[in-house]
Short mmCIF file of all heavy atoms in Angstrom, two decimals:
data_model
loop_
_atom_site.label_atom_id
_atom_site.label_comp_id
_atom_site.label_asym_id
_atom_site.label_seq_id
_atom_site.Cartn_x
_atom_site.Cartn_y
_atom_site.Cartn_z
N ALA A 52 -4.79 -20.46 2.15
CA ALA A 52 -4.23 -19.24 2.75
C ALA A 52 -2.78 -19.43 3.14
O ALA A 52 -1.94 -18.55 2.88
CB ALA A 52 -5.07 -18.83 3.96
N GLU A 53 -2.46 -20.56 3.76
CA GLU A 53 -1.08 -20.80 4.17
C GLU A 53 -0.14 -20.77 2.98
O GLU A 53 0.94 -20.13 3.03
CB GLU A 53 -0.95 -22.14 4.90
CG GLU A 53 0.47 -22.43 5.34
CD GLU A 53 0.63 -23.77 6.04
OE1 GLU A 53 -0.25 -24.65 5.91
OE2 GLU A 53 1.65 -23.94 6.73
N ALA A 54 -0.49 -21.42 1.89
CA ALA A 54 0.36 -21.45 0.70
C ALA A 54 0.54 -20.04 0.12
O ALA A 54 1.65 -19.63 -0.22
CB ALA A 54 -0.23 -22.39 -0.35
N PHE A 55 -0.57 -19.29 0.03
CA PHE A 55 -0.50 -17.93 -0.50
C PHE A 55 0.36 -17.04 0.38
O PHE A 55 1.21 -16.29 -0.10
CB PHE A 55 -1.92 -17.35 -0.61
CG PHE A 55 -1.96 -15.95 -1.16
CD1 PHE A 55 -2.08 -15.73 -2.52
CD2 PHE A 55 -1.87 -14.85 -0.31
CE1 PHE A 55 -2.11 -14.44 -3.03
CE2 PHE A 55 -1.91 -13.56 -0.81
CZ PHE A 55 -2.02 -13.34 -2.18
N ILE A 56 0.14 -17.11 1.69
CA ILE A 56 0.87 -16.25 2.63
C ILE A 56 2.35 -16.59 2.68
O ILE A 56 3.21 -15.70 2.73
CB ILE A 56 0.21 -16.30 4.03
CG1 ILE A 56 -1.19 -15.67 3.97
CG2 ILE A 56 1.07 -15.61 5.07
CD1 ILE A 56 -2.07 -15.94 5.15
N ALA A 57 2.70 -17.88 2.63
CA ALA A 57 4.12 -18.28 2.63
C ALA A 57 4.81 -17.70 1.40
O ALA A 57 5.95 -17.18 1.49
CB ALA A 57 4.24 -19.79 2.67
N LYS A 58 4.16 -17.75 0.26
CA LYS A 58 4.74 -17.17 -0.97
C LYS A 58 4.86 -15.66 -0.82
O LYS A 58 5.88 -15.07 -1.20
CB LYS A 58 3.85 -17.54 -2.17
CG LYS A 58 4.37 -17.01 -3.47
CD LYS A 58 3.48 -17.42 -4.64
CE LYS A 58 4.05 -16.82 -5.92
NZ LYS A 58 3.14 -16.88 -7.02
N TYR A 59 3.84 -15.04 -0.27
CA TYR A 59 3.84 -13.58 -0.02
C TYR A 59 5.03 -13.20 0.86
O TYR A 59 5.71 -12.23 0.61
CB TYR A 59 2.51 -13.17 0.61
CG TYR A 59 2.40 -11.72 0.98
CD1 TYR A 59 1.91 -10.80 0.07
CD2 TYR A 59 2.79 -11.26 2.23
CE1 TYR A 59 1.81 -9.45 0.39
CE2 TYR A 59 2.71 -9.93 2.56
CZ TYR A 59 2.21 -9.03 1.64
OH TYR A 59 2.12 -7.70 1.97
N GLN A 60 5.25 -13.97 1.92
CA GLN A 60 6.37 -13.67 2.83
C GLN A 60 7.69 -13.71 2.08
O GLN A 60 8.55 -12.85 2.27
CB GLN A 60 6.37 -14.65 4.00
CG GLN A 60 5.23 -14.44 4.95
CD GLN A 60 5.06 -15.60 5.93
OE1 GLN A 60 5.62 -16.68 5.76
NE2 GLN A 60 4.25 -15.38 6.95
N ARG A 61 7.89 -14.73 1.24
CA ARG A 61 9.15 -14.86 0.47
C ARG A 61 9.32 -13.74 -0.54
O ARG A 61 10.42 -13.18 -0.67
CB ARG A 61 9.19 -16.20 -0.26
CG ARG A 61 9.41 -17.40 0.62
CD ARG A 61 9.64 -18.67 -0.20
NE ARG A 61 8.61 -18.94 -1.20
CZ ARG A 61 7.48 -19.60 -0.96
NH1 ARG A 61 7.23 -20.05 0.26
NH2 ARG A 61 6.61 -19.82 -1.93
N GLU A 62 8.25 -13.40 -1.24
CA GLU A 62 8.35 -12.48 -2.37
C GLU A 62 8.18 -11.01 -1.98
O GLU A 62 8.78 -10.15 -2.61
CB GLU A 62 7.33 -12.85 -3.44
CG GLU A 62 7.62 -14.19 -4.07
CD GLU A 62 6.59 -14.61 -5.10
OE1 GLU A 62 5.62 -13.83 -5.35
OE2 GLU A 62 6.72 -15.72 -5.64
N VAL A 63 7.36 -10.73 -0.98
CA VAL A 63 7.05 -9.35 -0.62
C VAL A 63 7.69 -8.95 0.70
O VAL A 63 8.34 -7.92 0.80
CB VAL A 63 5.52 -9.12 -0.58
CG1 VAL A 63 5.19 -7.68 -0.22
CG2 VAL A 63 4.90 -9.48 -1.93
N GLY A 64 7.50 -9.76 1.74
CA GLY A 64 8.18 -9.54 3.02
C GLY A 64 7.76 -8.34 3.83
O GLY A 64 8.56 -7.79 4.58
#
Side-chain angles (χ1 to χ4, degrees):
E53 180 181 18
F55 180 91
I56 293 166
K58 181 179 179 193
Y59 177 90
Q60 289 167 347
R61 288 188 306 274
E62 294 177 2
V63 180

